[in-house]
Amino acid sequence: MRSPIRGLASSDGEEGSDRTPLLQSTPRVEAAPVCCSARYNLALLAFFGFFVLYALRVNLSVALVDMVDSNTTLADNRTSKECAEHSAPIKVHHNQTGKKYQWDAETQGWILGSFFYGYIITQIPGGYIASKVGGKLLLGFGILGTAVFTLFTPIAADLGVGALIALRALEGLGEGVTFPAMHAMWSSWAPPLERSKLLSISYAGAQLGTVISLPLSGIICFYMNWTYVFYLFGIVGIVWFILWIFFVSETPETHKTISRHEKEYILSSLKNQLSSQKSVPWTSMLRSSPLWAIVVAHFSYNWTFYTLLTLLPTYMKEILRFNVQENGLLSALPYFGCWLCMILSGQAADNLRAKWNFSTICVRRVFSLIGMIGPAVFLVAAGFIGCDYSLAVAFLTISTTLGGFCSSGFSINHLDIAPSTLLENGKQFSTSLLLSMCLVPFSSRYLPKVKCKTGLSTIDMDTETEGTNK
């Protein structure tokens, strides 16, 4: 299969056929063992990095439930009595020492959405910086900056809404560079036939971070107070940064402990992935229909994903009326399913390509279809079930779980269609990195207005989108 971006070398190496993702012009080097390998150690540390990343991102969604005076929210919520109270009495007293703020629904919308205002700004600059200084430092300092800003969240809340919104926007600036930075590293580390597994492992950390941080934040808010949510996750982020700097190398060539066999395996498998062009084919990229197909897929998936990620705890409290402890646990269930699905789908995708000789395009299409249509069906169904708590949680869990298939579909397809380009200055520019940084920002930008629609068990949001050209 020829690369859909003209002027680029075929990234899958399929010259007359789409049956295999490797070039046939050079003999294959036997795959290096997985156990204790440098590439899987990188995937593991990246896994924990994205774990921290999403824990820092979503902790406010739960903490905000406990930060706001419930009387303020009830004044704006016309459907708080639509669903009956159902939570069993809690024997342990709910700690109430955390300061409460008189923030209405509109103000809360601004606070929750402010992260994404910063997030969309650093995507393309992040990709450019990664091509100059490398993904290791960019990813590390991006997460470190977010962790440090998180530690100051209680102070910003005391200073006022404006300070908190500005702080969350700064956190978004730090996190915006992370996906482009990680793609820059995988363009040098991931052999084509292990691409789905390695990227799925590293990015699955985002889902597990959500799974752990949502219930843990609820528990901390319930037994301690909400300020400790930000202190805990901020410190964890700093610890991860220290480990990342000491144990990760930018490329296989600079890794100090990698085996010779593994280095040769990685370099030989990526050798013919490098385009002979000396400049980035900007025009061809912008005219590539497969590129825009990936953009549309990212936009559609991220719209739903970030809506739920940000507002699911609010839905659990205001509509289904779960307390803060139950809220965190039940909000995490969908992302636990997504985490499992990402891990298993990554293994399945690479097995289909390597052992069953399925074409790369076939695998990407099938996994993308399952990961898009499945969630859509169950998410729409969740809007028609009223106050059935069990079905609401089940449908949201199934919907988010099936979305995990996308991690081996369109989510990494830019690595398939875009090889790296060796620039005239000798630097390696990952075209796939550029594509990834153009994709992630296509998520929903929330207008600061959240209201409940009478008679339905869903939250209506006034939303619009704002893109920039993951």
Side-chain angles (χ1 to χ4, degrees):
M1 181 182 70
R2 295 183 181 278
S3 171
I5 299 182
R6 293 174 296 174
L8 298 183
S10 175
S11 61
D12 282 333
E14 303 154 347
E15 302 203 7
S17 157
D18 190 37
R19 305 304 303 169
T20 174
L22 291 179
L23 285 168
Q24 305 297 323
S25 56
T26 57
R28 296 185 187 180
V29 175
E30 183 180 353
V34 170
C35 182
C36 300
S37 63
R39 65 192 187 281
Y40 278 89
N41 287 341
L42 171 61
L44 187 62
L45 276 170
F47 173 91
F48 285 111
F50 283 95
F51 175 100
V52 173
L53 191 74
Y54 270 66
L56 295 170
R57 179 181 301 189
V58 305
N59 54 16
L60 181 63
S61 297
V62 175
L64 190 66
V65 172
D66 210 41
M67 293 168 68
V68 175
D69 187 344
S70 59
N71 294 326
T72 304
T73 304
L74 288 175
D76 294 330
N77 184 4
R78 302 191 305 273
T79 62
S80 61
K81 301 299 181 183
E82 288 293 326
C83 297
E85 288 281 4
H86 61 91
S87 300
I90 302 298
K91 296 181 181 179
V92 181
H93 179 65
H94 181 182
N95 188 297
Q96 299 287 350
T97 58
K99 187 175 181 180
K100 301 291 183 179
Y101 300 95
Q102 302 294 320
W103 294 335
D104 59 19
E106 182 174 349
T107 302
Q108 293 175 54
W110 274 110
I111 294 170
L112 290 173
S114 58
F115 172 90
F116 297 98
Y117 304 150
Y119 189 66
I120 65 174
I121 293 175
T122 51
Q123 298 288 321
I124 291 180
Y128 176 78
I129 296 171
S131 68
K132 296 295 183 181
V133 303
K136 173 187 172 179
L137 292 177
L138 188 62
L139 178 62
F141 281 103
I143 296 180
L144 176 65
T146 305
V148 171
F149 286 132
T150 298
L151 292 172
F152 289 99
T153 301
I155 297 175
D158 277 339
L159 291 176
V161 174
L164 183 56
I165 289 175
L167 185 74
R168 287 292 291 179
L170 289 174
E171 290 180 29
L173 289 174
E175 289 203 15
V177 303
T178 53
F179 279 93
M182 193 71 252
H183 272 77
M185 295 196 69
W186 282 128
S187 67
S188 300
W189 275 96
L193 285 182
E194 296 182 9
R195 190 171 287 157
S196 297
K197 287 195 288 285
L198 289 168
L199 271 74
S200 293
I201 290 172
S202 57
Y203 295 146
Q207 309 305 324
L208 190 62
T210 305
V211 168
I212 300 298
S213 64
L214 286 176
L216 184 57
S217 296
I219 291 171
I220 293 173
C221 287
F222 193 85
Y223 292 102
M224 301 170 71
N225 72 59
W226 59 264
T227 59
Y228 291 98
V229 171
F230 304 104
Y231 297 147
L232 173 66
F233 291 115
I235 292 172
V236 170
I238 293 173
V239 171
W240 172 87
F241 170 77
I242 296 172
L243 296 175
W244 176 260
I245 292 298
F246 275 99
F247 292 106
V248 169
S249 296
E250 186 70 38
T251 64
E253 296 96 324
T254 59
H255 199 284
K256 295 179 181 179
T257 61
I258 189 173
S259 68
R260 181 179 178 182
H261 176 46
E262 183 182 8
K263 183 189 296 185
E264 290 179 352
Y265 166 60
I266 295 173
L267 296 179
S268 64
S269 66
L270 296 174
K271 181 178 180 181
N272 291 297
Q273 300 273 309
L274 190 64
S275 172
S276 59
Q277 280 197 206
K278 299 302 181 182
S279 60
V280 180
W282 299 102
T283 302
S284 297
M285 289 167 55
L286 294 176
R287 295 170 61 183
S288 169
S289 56
L291 165 61
W292 289 107
I294 299 174
V295 168
V296 172
H298 265 276
F299 177 94
S300 304
Y301 178 78
N302 286 347
W303 179 283
T304 302
F305 181 83
Y306 285 120
T307 298
L308 289 179
L309 187 69
T310 306
L311 287 173
L312 189 56
T314 303
Y315 169 72
M316 291 290 184
K317 178 192 177 186
E318 302 295 342
I319 304 300
L320 299 186
R321 306 187 72 186
F322 291 106
N323 63 51
V324 67
Q325 190 178 17
E326 297 168 319
N327 191 331
L329 180 62
L330 294 175
S331 295
L333 266 181
Y335 300 100
F336 177 72
C338 187
W339 173 70
L340 285 178
C341 187
M342 287 181 69
I343 295 294
L344 296 176
S345 65
Q347 299 287 330
D350 280 345
N351 283 336
L352 287 173
R353 295 166 65 214
K355 297 181 179 179
W356 294 86
N357 205 30
F358 275 71
S359 65
T360 300
I361 191 172
C362 175
V363 171
R364 301 297 184 230
R365 283 174 174 172
V366 170
F367 279 60
S368 294
L369 284 174
I370 297 173
M372 297 287 279
I373 295 176
V377 170
F378 284 97
L379 192 58
V380 170
F384 293 92
I385 57 176
C387 293
D388 191 322
Y389 311 114
S390 299
L391 273 181
V393 174
F395 282 3
L396 289 172
T397 299
I398 295 172
S399 174
T400 307
T401 297
L402 292 176
F405 279 95
C406 289
S407 66
S408 297
F410 68 82
S411 186
I412 60 173
N413 191 221
H414 31 66
L415 285 176
D416 299 319
I417 70 172
S420 296
T421 301
L422 192 63
L423 302 180
E424 291 181 355
N425 61 4
K427 296 265 186 187
Q428 183 172 318
F429 179 90
S430 174
T431 310
S432 62
L433 165 63
L434 176 68
L435 303 191
S436 71
M437 65 191 176
C438 291
L439 304 178
V440 176
F442 283 94
S443 56
S444 52
R445 178 175 71 88
Y446 308 106
L447 283 179
K449 188 175 182 182
V450 182
K451 60 182 181 180
C452 301
K453 188 174 180 180
T454 305
L456 293 180
S457 62
T458 57
I459 289 181
D460 264 354
M461 294 175 53
D462 291 330
T463 60
E464 67 179 23
T465 59
E466 177 174 288
T468 180
N469 195 6
K470 357 257 122 138

